[in-house]
C-alpha cells in the first residue's frame, strides 16, 4: 500500500517515504478508457448526435457544467474519429482517466535525479474478435473499418507482453483463442523482448536510440514509444509530444472546474 498518492511521491523531485524505484516504464493502450466496460458507451452502429450527447452527460455530467460538456464535444468531435461516436467517447475517456494522468506521473517521476523513465503507447488492433471492444459491442470485428485503426482497448497489450494466445471472454467468462498473424508474431516477439530486457537488465538493456529516456528537463514533447505492427499501422516508432494537445485540454478544463 502506498503511503501517499504517486503524484505526491514524485511531485517534490526527491525520493520520499517507502517508494524508491530506480527505473520505471509508464504507458497505456491507445483506447485505454473503461467507460465501455460499464455500459456508458452507445453500442456500435448508434452514431447519432443524440446518442453522443446523452453519453457525454452520463459520463461527465456529474463533474462538468454544460459549457464543460460542450468543450469536450469540441475537443473530441466524431468527425475526427471517422464518425464513430464510440471511438470519440472512448478516446476522451481514455485520455482523461488513463493516458494523460499516466504521462503526468511519468514526467513527475523523471524529475527525480535517481530515477530513469520511459513511456509507451500500445496501438495495435487485434483482429479475430480478440480486442475486447468487439465483445463490448462498441467496435466491429474488422481491420477494414477506419475507426478500429490503431485501436487498442484496455488490457489488449497483455497478450503481447506475455506471449499468450488464449484469454477470457469478459462477457460470459469462457476462453477465447486468439491466433496471431505472422506480422503480429514478429511484433509480439519485439514487445516481449523489450519487457524482458527491462526485467533482466533494467533500462540499460534497451538501447536509448530505439526507445529514448525522458530527460530530467522533460516537457510535454518528451518521447513516447508507439507500439504498432509493421505495414498499415506504421510499425514501432518514437513520437514526440504524444497527446500534448489533448492532455493540455484536460488540464485546462479540470482547472476551470476545480477538479
Amino acid at each position: 500500500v502506498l503511503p501517499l498518492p504517486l503524484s505526491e511521491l514524485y511531485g517534490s523531485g526527491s525520493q520520499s517515504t517507502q517508494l524508491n524505484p530506480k527505473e520505471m516504464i509508464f504507458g497505456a493502450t491507445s483506447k485505454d478508457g473503461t467507460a465501455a466496460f460499464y455500459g456508458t458507451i452507445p453500442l456500435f452502429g448508434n452514431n447519432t448526435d443524440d446518442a453522443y450527447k446523452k453519453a457525454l452527460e452520463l459520463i461527465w455530467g456529474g463533474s462538468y457544467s454544460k459549457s464543460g460538456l460542450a468543450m469536450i464535444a469540441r475537443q473530441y468531435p466524431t468527425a475526427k474519429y471517422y464518425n464513430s461516436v464510440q471511438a470519440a467517447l472512448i478516446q476522451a475517456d481514455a485520455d482523461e482517466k488513463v493516458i494523460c494522468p499516466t504521462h503526468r506521473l511519468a514526467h513527475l517521476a523523471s524529475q527525480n535525479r535517481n530515477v530513469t523513465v520511459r513511456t509507451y503507447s500500445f496501438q495495435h488492433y487485434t483482429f479475430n474478435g480478440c480486442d475486447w471492444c468487439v465483445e463490448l459491442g462498441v467496435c466491429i470485428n474488422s481491420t477494414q473499418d477506419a475507426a478500429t485503426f490503431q485501436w487498442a482497448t484496455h488490457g489488449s497489450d497483455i497478450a503481447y507482453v506475455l506471449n499468450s494466445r488464449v484469454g477470457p471472454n469478459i462477457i460470459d467468462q469462457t476462453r477465447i483463442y486468439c491466433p496471431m498473424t505472422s506480422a503480429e508474431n514478429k511484433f509480439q516477439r519485439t514487445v516481449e523482448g523489450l519487457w524482458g530486457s527491462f526485467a533482466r537488465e533494467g533500462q540499460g538493456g534497451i538501447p536509448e536510440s530505439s526507445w529514448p529516456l525522458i530527460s530530467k528537463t522533460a516537457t510535454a514533447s518528451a518521447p513516447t514509444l508507439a507500439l504498432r505492427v509493421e505495414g498499415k499501422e506504421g510499425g514501432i516508432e518514437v513520437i514526440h509530444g504524444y497527446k500534448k494537445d489533448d492532455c493540455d485540454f484536460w488540464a485546462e478544463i479540470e482547472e476551470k472546474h476545480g477538479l
Side-chain angles (χ1 to χ4, degrees):
V1 178
L2 300 181
L4 293 168
L6 281 174
S7 57
E8 292 185 30
L9 288 175
Y10 291 115
S12 64
S14 61
Q15 290 182 320
S16 307
T17 62
Q18 302 169 21
L19 188 64
N20 298 298
K22 300 293 184 183
E23 302 168 316
M24 305 181 74
I25 291 178
F26 291 82
T29 62
S30 61
K31 290 286 193 295
D32 216 331
T34 57
F37 288 78
Y38 303 108
T40 53
I41 301 293
L43 295 181
F44 177 79
N46 186 359
N47 286 314
T48 65
D49 289 341
D50 186 55
Y52 183 65
K53 291 176 182 177
K54 286 182 178 179
L56 276 177
E57 177 67 34
L58 183 62
I59 299 170
W60 289 286
S63 302
Y64 298 102
S65 63
K66 288 186 177 180
S67 63
L69 296 181
M71 290 173 66
I72 297 172
R74 287 194 297 272
Q75 185 70 17
Y76 295 89
T78 56
K80 185 178 176 181
Y81 299 92
Y82 306 100
N83 297 315
S84 169
V85 166
Q86 297 73 28
L89 290 169
I90 291 173
Q91 191 65 68
D93 181 52
D95 290 349
E96 182 206 20
K97 298 295 198 305
V98 181
I99 296 172
C100 295
T102 295
H103 279 261
R104 284 198 294 269
L105 285 173
H107 293 153
L108 286 171
S110 72
Q111 303 310 301
N112 188 318
R113 58 187 174 81
N114 297 316
V115 179
T116 57
V117 176
R118 283 183 165 103
T119 61
Y120 74 90
S121 172
F122 186 90
Q123 301 178 359
H124 173 58
Y125 171 73
T126 303
F127 185 49
N128 292 317
C130 291
D131 187 293
W132 281 343
C133 68
V134 177
E135 293 177 57
L136 293 168
V138 295
C139 79
I140 189 173
N141 183 27
S142 171
T143 56
Q144 303 304 312
D145 182 54
T148 60
F149 179 67
Q150 296 180 2
W151 180 315
T153 298
H154 175 78
S156 60
D157 52 338
I158 295 174
Y160 292 86
V161 174
L162 300 180
N163 190 18
S164 173
R165 304 295 188 278
V166 179
N169 182 319
I170 60 173
I171 303 301
D172 60 17
Q173 300 305 307
T174 57
R175 307 294 283 174
I176 298 176
Y177 178 63
C178 298
M180 294 184 184
T181 65
S182 58
E184 286 176 327
N185 279 320
K186 181 180 178 181
F187 173 66
Q188 185 280 317
R189 290 192 295 271
T190 300
V191 173
E192 184 181 30
L194 289 170
W195 264 248
S197 294
F198 179 74
R200 290 190 305 271
E201 307 169 55
Q203 304 284 27
I206 304 172
E208 191 164 357
S209 59
S210 60
W211 190 355
L213 294 167
I214 295 180
S215 71
K216 301 305 177 188
T217 56
T219 65
S221 62
T224 293
L225 190 68
L227 297 171
R228 310 166 181 151
V229 169
E230 292 179 358
K232 181 181 178 181
E233 289 184 342
I236 296 175
E237 67 172 325
V238 176
I239 300 175
H240 291 270
Y242 174 65
K243 285 292 175 182
K244 181 182 184 305
D245 181 59
D246 291 324
C247 292
D248 285 350
F249 164 77
W250 286 110
E252 176 187 354
I253 192 174
E254 286 167 6
E255 182 178 1
K256 284 184 176 180
H257 286 78
L259 300 176

